[in-house]
């Protein structure tokens, strides 16, 4: 049976990220109320999360197929909704039995935009996340996705974001705090989300490819939403 290469999954991931990367470039990037451009932030999150979901499902399926697993086993593996970074990690561990991957992920850091505090008028700054912190942030961003998808928040203005629909990490944990219990998404937040998922996906996929003796994956076409 012919099984597509792992690189094919990366190439399709690159294609699916074209739209959210173009949306990010449309934002004016100026301070103050962005007006209608405020809708770009939730649009980036929703399109990028779809791309991430498709990539995780396909990559896990291909790794399993190359490991000569049955269609039934593969179908069970990819039966997941909106996989986070942690879920991607867990699925690869199921297929490859490579332990918890601690040694592989220890020398890791990813930069994100740090939400400014209430009353802080300074421009947004970067902060570096460890692998553990990146996984936690990714869980928070998936909650942002759930709130947007289920109509619990609009994402283009300050508003109250409900608690987690799953797990214990809330959407507000990755958003910019405002007064009266409200939080805002902003394009900086959307860029952070996309960057975390892209960088972590590449790290896990590269480690998996190396583990199974696959040729080095080429990520040159994949937008990484570098900050």
């Amino acid at each position: 049976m012919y099984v597509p290469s792992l690189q094919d999954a990366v190439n399709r991931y690159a294609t699916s990220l074209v739209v959210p990367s173009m949306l990010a470039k449309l934002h004016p990037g100026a301070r103050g109320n962005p007006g209608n451009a405020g809708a770009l932030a939730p649009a980036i999150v929703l399109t990028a999360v779809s791309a991430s979901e498709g990539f995780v499902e396909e990559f896990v399926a291909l790794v399993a197929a190359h490991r000569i697993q049955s269609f039934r086993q593969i179908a069970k593996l990819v039966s997941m909704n909106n996989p986070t970074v942690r879920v991607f990690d867990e699925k690869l561990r199921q297929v490859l039995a490579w332990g918890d991957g601690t040694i592989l992920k220890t020398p890791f850091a990813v930069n994100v935009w740090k939400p400014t505090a209430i009353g802080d008028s300074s421009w947004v700054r970067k902060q570096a996340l460890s692998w553990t912190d990146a996984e936690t942030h990714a869980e928070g961003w998936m909650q942002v996705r759930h709130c947007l998808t289920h109509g619990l928040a609009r994402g283009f203005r300050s508003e109250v974001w409900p608690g987690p629909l799953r797990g214990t990490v809330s959407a507000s944990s990755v958003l910019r705090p405002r007064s009266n219990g409200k939080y805002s998404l902003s394009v900086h937040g959307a860029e952070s989300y996309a960057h975390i998922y892209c960088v972590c996906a590449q790290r896990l996929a590269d480690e998996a490819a190396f583990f199974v003796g696959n040729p080095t994956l080429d990520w040159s076409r994949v937008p990484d939403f570098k900050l």
Side-chain angles (χ1 to χ4, degrees):
M1 179 185 70
Y2 169 73
V3 179
S5 70
L6 300 184
Q7 184 63 49
D8 286 339
V10 175
N11 293 343
R12 280 189 278 272
Y13 188 33
T15 299
S16 62
L17 283 175
V18 168
V19 169
S21 66
M22 292 176 68
L23 290 174
K25 294 174 183 176
L26 289 175
H27 197 279
R31 294 191 184 192
N33 190 332
N36 288 337
L40 290 170
I44 292 168
V45 170
L46 291 174
T47 50
V49 77
S50 297
S52 297
E53 179 178 11
F55 173 69
V56 171
E57 290 177 350
E58 182 170 10
F59 192 85
V60 170
L62 290 178
V63 170
H66 281 284
R67 303 289 277 185
I68 321 298
Q69 295 206 15
S70 67
F71 285 119
R72 181 174 179 274
Q73 290 172 310
I74 294 172
K76 185 176 181 180
L77 275 169
V78 299
S79 179
M80 49 185 160
N81 292 317
N82 311 118
T84 60
V85 172
R86 184 170 292 129
V87 170
F88 189 18
D89 190 2
E90 291 170 351
K91 291 293 183 178
L92 288 175
R93 273 189 270 159
Q94 288 180 40
V95 179
L96 301 175
W98 63 4
D100 63 6
T102 301
I103 295 176
L104 303 177
K105 293 170 298 195
T106 299
F108 175 90
V110 57
N111 286 325
V112 298
W113 294 117
K114 182 179 181 180
T116 52
I118 296 176
D120 186 351
S121 60
S122 61
W123 192 239
V124 64
R125 303 182 184 91
K126 296 178 184 178
Q127 65 173 335
L129 302 180
S130 66
W131 181 265
T132 299
D133 290 338
E135 281 192 328
T136 301
H137 274 239
E139 295 290 326
W141 282 113
M142 190 56 72
Q143 291 303 317
V144 171
R145 175 264 174 207
H146 290 326
C147 290
L148 294 172
T149 301
H150 294 285
L152 302 175
R154 291 166 291 186
F156 65 87
R157 61 189 303 175
S158 298
E159 56 197 322
V160 175
W161 292 73
L165 302 179
R166 299 177 184 173
T168 59
V169 183
S170 64
S172 60
S173 67
V174 293
L175 301 176
R176 181 178 181 179
R178 299 290 191 176
S179 58
N180 301 317
K182 296 182 179 181
Y183 293 82
S184 62
L185 172 52
S186 83
V187 72
H188 292 103
E191 289 173 344
S192 290
Y193 154 75
H195 189 55
I196 288 173
Y197 270 79
C198 287
V199 171
C200 291
Q202 179 176 348
R203 183 58 179 266
L204 286 171
D206 282 345
E207 298 291 359
F210 176 79
F211 189 84
V212 301
N214 190 83
T216 301
L217 298 174
D218 178 9
W219 296 85
S220 60
R221 292 179 50 227
V222 179
D224 67 355
F225 299 87
K226 188 173 182 179
L227 308 185

